[in-house]
Amino acid sequence: MSIVLGPHQYGKAENRIVRIYRDSPRHEIHDVNVSTALRGAFDAAHLTGDQAAVLPTDTQKQTAYSYAKEKGLTSIETYGLELACHFVDDVAPVSGARIEIEEYAWERAVVDGAEHDFTFVRKGQEVRTAAITVEGERDDQRSWVIGGFKDLVLLKTTGSEFHGFLEDDYTVLQPTTDRIMATSLVAQWRFFEPEGGWASIDWEATYSGIKATMTAVFANLHSFALQQTLYEMGKAVLEAYPFLAEIRMSAPNKHHFLYDLSPFGVTNDNEVFNADDRPYGLIQASVLRDDAPDAGPAWTVAGGFA
Amino acid sequence: MSIVLGPHQYGKAENRIVRIYRDSPRHEIHDVNVSTALRGAFDAAHLTGDQAAVLPTDTQKQTAYSYAKEKGLTSIETYGLELACHFVDDVAPVSGARIEIEEYAWERAVVDGAEHDFTFVRKGQEVRTAAITVEGERDDQRSWVIGGFKDLVLLKTTGSEFHGFLEDDYTVLQPTTDRIMATSLVAQWRFFEPEGGWASIDWEATYSGIKATMTAVFANLHSFALQQTLYEMGKAVLEAYPFLAEIRMSAPNKHHFLYDLSPFGVTNDNEVFNADDRPYGLIQASVLRDDAPDAGPAWTVAGGFA
Amino acid sequence: MSIVLGPHQYGKAENRIVRIYRDSPRHEIHDVNVSTALRGAFDAAHLTGDQAAVLPTDTQKQTAYSYAKEKGLTSIETYGLELACHFVDDVAPVSGARIEIEEYAWERAVVDGAEHDFTFVRKGQEVRTAAITVEGERDDQRSWVIGGFKDLVLLKTTGSEFHGFLEDDYTVLQPTTDRIMATSLVAQWRFFEPEGGWASIDWEATYSGIKATMTAVFANLHSFALQQTLYEMGKAVLEAYPFLAEIRMSAPNKHHFLYDLSPFGVTNDNEVFNADDRPYGLIQASVLRDDAPDAGPAWTVAGGFA
Amino acid sequence: MSIVLGPHQYGKAENRIVRIYRDSPRHEIHDVNVSTALRGAFDAAHLTGDQAAVLPTDTQKQTAYSYAKEKGLTSIETYGLELACHFVDDVAPVSGARIEIEEYAWERAVVDGAEHDFTFVRKGQEVRTAAITVEGERDDQRSWVIGGFKDLVLLKTTGSEFHGFLEDDYTVLQPTTDRIMATSLVAQWRFFEPEGGWASIDWEATYSGIKATMTAVFANLHSFALQQTLYEMGKAVLEAYPFLAEIRMSAPNKHHFLYDLSPFGVTNDNEVFNADDRPYGLIQASVLRDDAPDAGPAWTVAGGFA
């Protein structure tokens, strides 16, 4: 028996890069939070403190900022691929790189009915995410792209039931045929690389299409459980986008409890609710294409935690 | 010399009330966070622990929920006035009440190009606020209403300069004629009661008008300082709404630092920035109508802190 | 009628300064968050964008860091006075300065039973605070010092009752003679300058003495209301420290609800509770020395909000 | 090709259970945040909305509270095992359960030099964690226990170097032979079940021993990289506790940048630092016993995300 170093990675987390395009009077803004992580032959840094193979996290930061200009920063998936490939291709000890990105959306300020050229209001809704993993060099290089969002807060005031559930000695919940259903949705979808390569994917149209599809299912499906709603959302997305292998969802059931006004002689026909913070239900599920290519390291964070 | 009880108040904070209107197939939602505070003859509770004059904070909570149905919950200013007057009028020991409300906006989900009847997406932008104070009974009753918002995040990518400032031995800042200006604006405006009474104010139109006015000034004014921008925003609001006495603003200058890419031979013409978290500039200012009625207790939180 | 600029101030908020004393092998650490604000003749910056009187917030930052070395940073009250006097004395347009400071405590790591010379663990308990205001020059200069803390989380598992309260139509709360009482206490105490000047106050001993006094009253007083506990805590502090004029407290009543286990045939004699997040009771009160000097601008934040 | 349901789980997250032991005048408190998740034959809930196999998340909550009394709540690992086994053993459709727990430490208030019997101060330092997974029934039942903590904030003011690193075209970082090293450590250690069963482990002594060991290595090791420090911390823990299979660590390198005071003619010999928020280095690593039993599902969160 001996004690050994296990999987490990290191990088610079949460680089808050803002990229402005000002090539015309109508500026564009991309506002992101970039985390880089490198994997490879870094054992000596752990075992003896020898840094000879370690590209500093500061250097990773400088590169992330410089690439926002050198390579551009429009679709986060493309930017992440550029950055990951650079680390794997150009830094000898690096065998794998993982880039995680959050993007904060801005909308143009509307002034006198017209969109302003260079003034923006933070949109504040869901945060778009991406996680790009690249491994290997030249012909052996493989890459995995995950797109997604978090904090998309959806609510329907009717069209949701919950009954017919399993009961045991600890069951006191009453069934209901009409409740508020609300969630703050996290979703991540794994692309597989199409014949035409990553460049053949329209990342922007795909992102807004997925969001619209999921919202539509949430709205239109008469729900008997949040589980059912999630599955149908995921299924609709995979049906619409053949280059998606898988979608994973994590959905808190944000409880809105009907408030008891009967002590005051007041009727409450699903009109007044208490929005509770904790605890919340938490439904986590994935929907897969059964012939999807293996996920490889797409979801892996070395040495880290679920 | 003796030690005495000073100003005090008590209440129930952060009641998360959600009010649904479902009188037609097209539901409406109002999602608020309500805090109540009562002032009055509560010395005995402090001095001897005698609760005979103390209406429990739980009762204040029940009332806040019940009033969402009994009186309705559309404009938060109206709801806050109803609640505050109730406590002052109907609970003997209460001489004053302050109701603070936050409102979270939802927009209708758009499905196949149409707004959905009962599905909503949390808007996520600025939080609307109100603070209502009522004092005294019957003919002596007076009320003060403050509207506002917080977390309206605005950014302009050009049209902002900063130079010509005072320098001393600790000054190293370089002047600039083109910078990003960004803030997460907090604003509170104090109404005075018009001849026609509070009911004559269109709270909803006023709110959206103020927000639009401030956004337009932020966008259109070529700025030489955030101070100047704030003053002009406040002035434009007071000019547009004669029933406003005063507006107070607290504006962090959210620094976006031009990233130095010169070590890498990369030109950065105001294109790549680091969005820094802390420290930030913080500009706080008020704009007043010089004949405005006195603020009275409108801004006061008894026993609390700035 | 005309529209005018009201009270205003500006500064640099949340400078995260860490000061290490390493004059002996046993290092010392002071970890603070400093916000500066200046008041004075800055109207032109607002009205016309002219910055000639405006010392940049960046300069305020540089000064705050440099003073941590030049003047030292041990007691935050002393450091804040140094900084505030500098701005008022040395920067011509400045007529008043307010410095707000938070301090994060560290304790020495204990290794093999001994305190380590240069390794520290963040203590994580309450945050110490100070707010220093200085106005006027030379003989007219006056200064106000507020000390305090926030986030001191106290809980007692018995020794707290709540009954005999006022009831109305919305009262459903049941009285109790034994409940958990818990709060996350914010307290701020206003010093007045003693005969011997500020330098005659032992800020460190005073701080730990006040905290110990308040904790002891919370523990020892059999409580009939959080109001009563707060008043007795404040009174004990003023009695112990004659150079304190006033103490203000803001105390959420962090509800711990007895969990109903009766449906499962399980007895719950004040043993299992649900710690609820929101809503919470909120008691705010001040205790004063009736001959205390006037607070002046000690509590004032110009242009800002409660 | 078809679209199928992938891994999924559901449960009730963040039950804020407080358990008081009051069997003697000297009360004890255990303050936890419990999340339950069930895995098994729940496909119908997703595919058709049929809830017949679904034990409501509300029931899971009731059970978690009731077990705090029925089974007791002292060591979180034991409580988590009881709860997980119950769901797997007693609820037919459940084939696996995962219980995640956070524990918030309280220390006794010290009054007049003595520990108080029933008054506590929230300790505020690191949060203790556990994750228990149970699968299978009767002879086939297996269980996995992970202990850990998060938010242990450690800092050393000297004894840390960083130099000799790899350089490329984007490297501007200067090497240093004396810097502040600080982190907010997350660690999780996987137990394997000893011959004597889980009951033979002293969870409390193990927890405090691991924390002390890691702190001692952080303090005593002269560090050439955070990587090295982490590895040595993990190695020391595995050496001290033979029933640990593995430890995973996630350590932000919380940068403290030496502040440049040279423009003001002030020397700064590692005395004044800026504590930066973002970006931060992030080192993630695991240390393993090379003959450790397989991790199985110990680290898995079905359908969720890293």
Side-chain angles (χ1 to χ4, degrees), chain A residues 175-237:
Chain A
T176 176
T177 56
D178 194 1
R179 62 170 185 172
I180 285 185
M181 186 165 72
T183 190
S184 175
L185 188 62
V186 186
Q188 292 192 330
W189 45 88
R190 175 163 59 91
F191 295 88
F192 50 85
E193 195 168 352
E195 298 282 320
W198 293 120
S200 66
I201 295 181
D202 182 340
W203 305 107
E204 302 311 302
T206 303
Y207 180 79
S208 37
I210 291 172
K211 184 182 158 193
T213 299
M214 296 182 82
T215 302
V217 173
F218 183 88
N220 287 337
L221 181 74
H222 187 87
S223 177
F224 292 97
L226 184 48
Q227 280 92 327
Q228 180 198 19
T229 296
L230 287 181
Y231 175 72
E232 294 294 338
M233 290 166 88
K235 182 158 161 275
V237 167

Side-chain angles (χ1 to χ4, degrees), chain A residues 149-152 183-188 214 226 230 247-253 280-286, chain D residues 9 301-305:
Chain A
F149 56 69
K150 61 180 185 181
D151 303 338
L152 181 68
T183 190
S184 175
L185 188 62
V186 186
Q188 292 192 330
M214 296 182 82
L226 184 48
L230 287 181
I247 182 166
R248 298 186 179 186
M249 292 163 285
S250 184
N253 190 343
Y280 48 90
L282 183 57
I283 319 296
Q284 294 170 295
S286 58
Chain D
Q9 66 180 30
V301 177
F305 313 99

Side-chain angles (χ1 to χ4, degrees), chain A residues 218-300:
Chain A
F218 183 88
N220 287 337
L221 181 74
H222 187 87
S223 177
F224 292 97
L226 184 48
Q227 280 92 327
Q228 180 198 19
T229 296
L230 287 181
Y231 175 72
E232 294 294 338
M233 290 166 88
K235 182 158 161 275
V237 167
L238 293 195
E239 284 171 351
Y241 295 94
F243 46 83
L244 294 183
E246 176 188 4
I247 182 166
R248 298 186 179 186
M249 292 163 285
S250 184
N253 190 343
K254 295 170 73 80
H255 302 308
H256 288 66
F257 292 113
L258 193 66
Y259 206 85
D260 181 11
L261 301 178
S262 64
F264 322 125
V266 176
T267 305
N268 185 2
D269 289 334
N270 274 341
E271 292 167 297
V272 178
F273 296 85
N274 175 43
D276 211 16
D277 296 303
R278 292 192 294 185
Y280 48 90
L282 183 57
I283 319 296
Q284 294 170 295
S286 58
V287 182
L288 305 168
R289 205 174 292 278
D290 66 359
D291 62 349
D294 184 63
W299 301 97
T300 308

